[in-house]
Structure formats: C-alpha cells, structure tokens
C-alpha cells in the first residue's frame, strides 16, 4: 500500500511538472516578445527569471525521476539525494538571476526609457494566472518536500511579482514615471531573494547531512531512553537521504538483551510514526545492569 501511494504521488508530481514547464515556456516567449517590443526591462527581467524557473522545474523533475530508480551495488541508496542537489541548484540559479536583474535595473536608472504600460499590464496579468496555477499544482506537496518547495516558491514569487507589475503599470499610466520600471525590477530581485534564502539555507543543511528541519534529536533520545531496559544512547546520527526521507542510526545500551527483536520493532514503529524516520538502524548493546557491576562481569 505504501509503495502504491508513493508511485501515485510521484505520478501526480510528474504531471504537475509537465503542465508547469509547458505553460511557463509558452509564457516566456510571449513575455520576451512583448518586452523587446515596448523596451520594458521589467518584462525582460521577469522573462529571464521565468526561464530560470523553467530550468529549475526541469532540474526538480529530473531529481524526482532519479529518486524513483532502484538502488545498485555502487549506489545502495539509489539516487535519492539527487533531490537535495536539485534544491541546492535551484537556489544557486535564483541567486544568479537576482544578480543579473539588479545590475540591469541599476543601469536603467541612469538611462530610463518610456514603457508602454498597457502592454506591461496585460502580459503581467497573464503571468499572474499562469504562475498562480502552476504554484497551486505544487502547493500540496511543497510542505513535505524541499525539492517541490523550490518549484512552488519560484511560481508563487513570480505570481506576486506579476501582481506588482500590474499595479506599477496602472500607476505609470497616470504619472509617466520612467523610473518605475527599473524600480519594479529591483523589487523583483528582492522578492526572489527573500523566497530563495530559506531554500538555500535548508538545502545546504541537507547537503551537509545536518538533522532535517522538524526532527528534534533531544525528543528522539527521550523516546528511546523512556524504555525501562535502556540505560544509554550514543552514536546517534540523523540525516536526510533525500528531501522527503530521513535516515537514522543509533547505538542503544540495554540492561538486558531479552526480547531484543520486539524492542527494535517497537522503536522502529514509535520513531517512524512520531518523527517520520523511514530508514532506521538500531544497534543494541548489553550494558551494566547496576552500578555495582564491573565491565568484566557483563
């Protein structure tokens, strides 16, 4: 049942990527043509960012596909960690896009050009719809998958930015402010930076095998030590195998090895249920039954 659920979930994510990539590629073409025709840096900057979004979607899609491949003798965990690399790559791509947008916007402040506001408004309004629909497709799965969250943040941020462009376009109609277009470009850069920072921070942590967010190592120790036969816990390691799967290894010192299989099964059930740990290795050791016993007597 669990395998069937995972397969169905992966199929739904794949479908979302197909639709998202197709819609955004079509929008990029329209936005780039409109941006060149009316000399709008805001539209061109957003088109460039949308292109990086498509690249990001393709990277996330590739990682999703790789994560479904079976383990091999050389890669005993398969390609599950590719989703971590995808999230990190998306963060880096966004940072590069931010730098490019900011540089171009600053240069345009020195040489502002008039913008056809109605064209900007119409194209940006289309962007709200396309980016918004794409974000909705990833909204459900982004909470439990950093790889999917990267795709969601791309789309959600773009929808918000497009809304800002529409508002700025209406203002330009009545004011004629030529500096508003590069100002919107800088706003785009700031919004992308804010949405990217959390993605970068978490993906770097996962890449460095840090304890995944939401997993409390102290609480895990308490759960293990709560068993009356456990006297100590050491060599506890927790890391993300992927953006959705958590692995853990631990040495547990027990006062008895009686019912050892039952103890391990109990720990597996409790830790997987409470903390979402799906790959758990427990090594039990026979420790001291009381302070009076020496190491030689065990």
């Amino acid at each position: 049942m669990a395998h069937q659920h995972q397969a169905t979930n992966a199929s739904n994510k794949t479908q979302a990527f197909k639709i998202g990539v197709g819609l955004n590629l079509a929008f990029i073409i329209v936005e780039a043509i409109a941006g060149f025709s009316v000399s709008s840096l805001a539209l061109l900057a957003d088109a460039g960012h949308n292109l990086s979004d498509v690249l990001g979607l393709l990277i996330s899609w590739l990682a999703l596909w790789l994560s479904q491949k079976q383990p091999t003798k050389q890669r005993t965990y398969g390609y599950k960690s590719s989703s971590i690399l995808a999230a990190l790559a998306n963060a880096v791509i966004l940072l590069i896009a931010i730098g490019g947008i900011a540089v171009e916007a600053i240069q345009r402040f020195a040489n502002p050009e008039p913008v056809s506001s109605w064209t900007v408004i119409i194209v940006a309004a289309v962007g709200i719809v396309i980016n918004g629909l794409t974000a909705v497709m990833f909204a459900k799965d982004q909470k439990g998958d950093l790889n999917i969250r990267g795709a969601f943040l791309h789309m959600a941020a773009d929808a918000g930015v497009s809304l800002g462009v529409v508002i700025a376009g209406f203002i330009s109609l009545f004011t004629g402010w030529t500096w508003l277009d590069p100002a919107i470009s800088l706003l785009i850069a700031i919004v992308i930076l804010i949405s990217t920072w959390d993605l970068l921070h978490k993906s770097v942590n996962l890449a460095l095998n840090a304890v995944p967010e939401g997993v409390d190592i102290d609480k895990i120790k308490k759960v293990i030590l709560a068993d009356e036969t456990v006297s100590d816990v050491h060599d506890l390691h927790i890391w993300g195998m992927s953006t959705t799967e958590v692995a853990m290894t631990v040495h547990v010192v027990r006062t008895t090895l009686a019912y050892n299989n039952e103890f391990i099964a109990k720990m597996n059930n409790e830790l997987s249920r409470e903390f979402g740990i799906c790959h758990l290795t427990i090594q039990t050791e026979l420790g001291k039954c009381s302070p009076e016993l020496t190491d030689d007597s065990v």
Side-chain angles (χ1 to χ4, degrees):
M1 289 295 292
H3 177 73
Q4 183 179 3
H5 174 74
Q6 290 176 356
T8 302
N9 195 30
S11 178
N12 292 337
K13 291 178 182 178
T14 299
Q15 187 66 19
F17 278 118
K18 288 180 181 179
I19 297 174
V21 169
L23 286 175
N24 279 273
L25 280 176
F27 179 60
I28 287 170
I29 295 174
V30 173
E31 192 171 31
I33 292 174
F36 278 116
S37 64
V38 301
S39 188
S40 169
L41 178 62
L43 287 180
L44 291 176
D46 199 44
H49 173 55
N50 278 318
L51 183 59
S52 71
D53 283 342
V54 171
L55 178 59
L57 289 176
L58 290 173
I59 291 174
S60 296
W61 189 0
L62 175 62
L64 175 64
W65 176 73
L66 287 174
S67 68
Q68 305 304 309
K69 296 180 70 66
Q70 294 298 315
T72 66
K73 291 181 179 180
Q74 288 73 36
R75 295 179 175 85
T76 56
Y77 280 143
Y79 295 84
K80 294 181 182 300
S81 60
S82 60
S83 60
I84 298 174
L85 297 179
L88 183 58
N90 272 326
V92 173
I93 291 171
L94 282 169
L95 290 176
I96 294 174
I98 290 169
I101 292 173
V103 169
E104 290 297 325
I106 292 172
Q107 291 176 349
R108 185 62 71 93
F109 270 118
N111 300 290
E113 298 181 13
V115 175
S116 177
S117 297
W118 277 116
T119 302
V120 173
I121 292 171
I122 293 172
V123 174
V126 175
I128 295 174
V129 176
I130 291 178
N131 291 320
L133 287 175
T134 307
V136 168
M137 289 189 294
F138 294 115
K140 180 180 178 181
D141 295 313
Q142 61 93 19
K143 294 181 179 180
D145 188 341
L146 190 63
N147 183 34
I148 301 300
R149 187 177 184 182
F152 170 78
L153 288 176
H154 279 308
M155 300 297 103
D158 283 351
V161 168
S162 294
L163 177 61
V165 171
V166 169
I167 295 173
F170 277 112
I171 295 175
S172 296
L173 285 175
F174 300 100
T175 63
W177 293 340
T178 56
W179 55 265
L180 195 58
D181 188 61
I184 289 296
S185 299
L186 285 178
L187 179 61
I188 290 173
I190 293 173
V191 171
I192 299 170
L193 178 61
I194 293 173
S195 63
T196 301
W197 183 252
D198 184 63
L199 177 65
L200 177 65
H201 173 72
K202 291 179 179 178
S203 59
V204 167
N205 277 344
L206 287 178
L208 295 176
N209 289 333
V211 177
E213 186 179 81
V215 179
D216 191 323
I217 194 168
D218 291 325
K219 288 184 178 180
I220 288 176
K221 286 183 178 179
K222 285 183 179 180
V223 169
I224 300 175
L225 290 169
D227 189 282
E228 61 183 9
T229 68
V230 176
S231 60
D232 192 22
V233 173
H234 63 94
D235 289 319
L236 173 58
H237 302 286
I238 306 171
W239 71 98
M241 290 177 54
S242 69
T243 54
T244 59
E245 297 175 84
V246 179
M248 169 181 151
T249 61
V250 63
H251 289 220
V252 179
V253 181
R254 301 185 66 204
T255 56
T256 176
L257 293 183
Y259 303 103
N260 203 48
N261 289 340
E262 289 79 358
F263 169 79
I264 293 176
K266 172 188 173 185
M267 287 293 105
N268 268 285
N269 290 332
E270 290 186 10
L271 295 174
S272 62
R273 183 180 65 252
E274 293 187 31
F275 303 99
I277 300 173
C278 51
H279 292 270
L280 179 60
T281 302
I282 300 176
Q283 178 175 318
T284 57
E285 304 167 359
L286 183 59
K288 298 178 180 179
C289 295
S290 67
E292 290 75 19
L293 293 178
T294 64
D295 291 336
D296 292 335
S297 64
V298 177

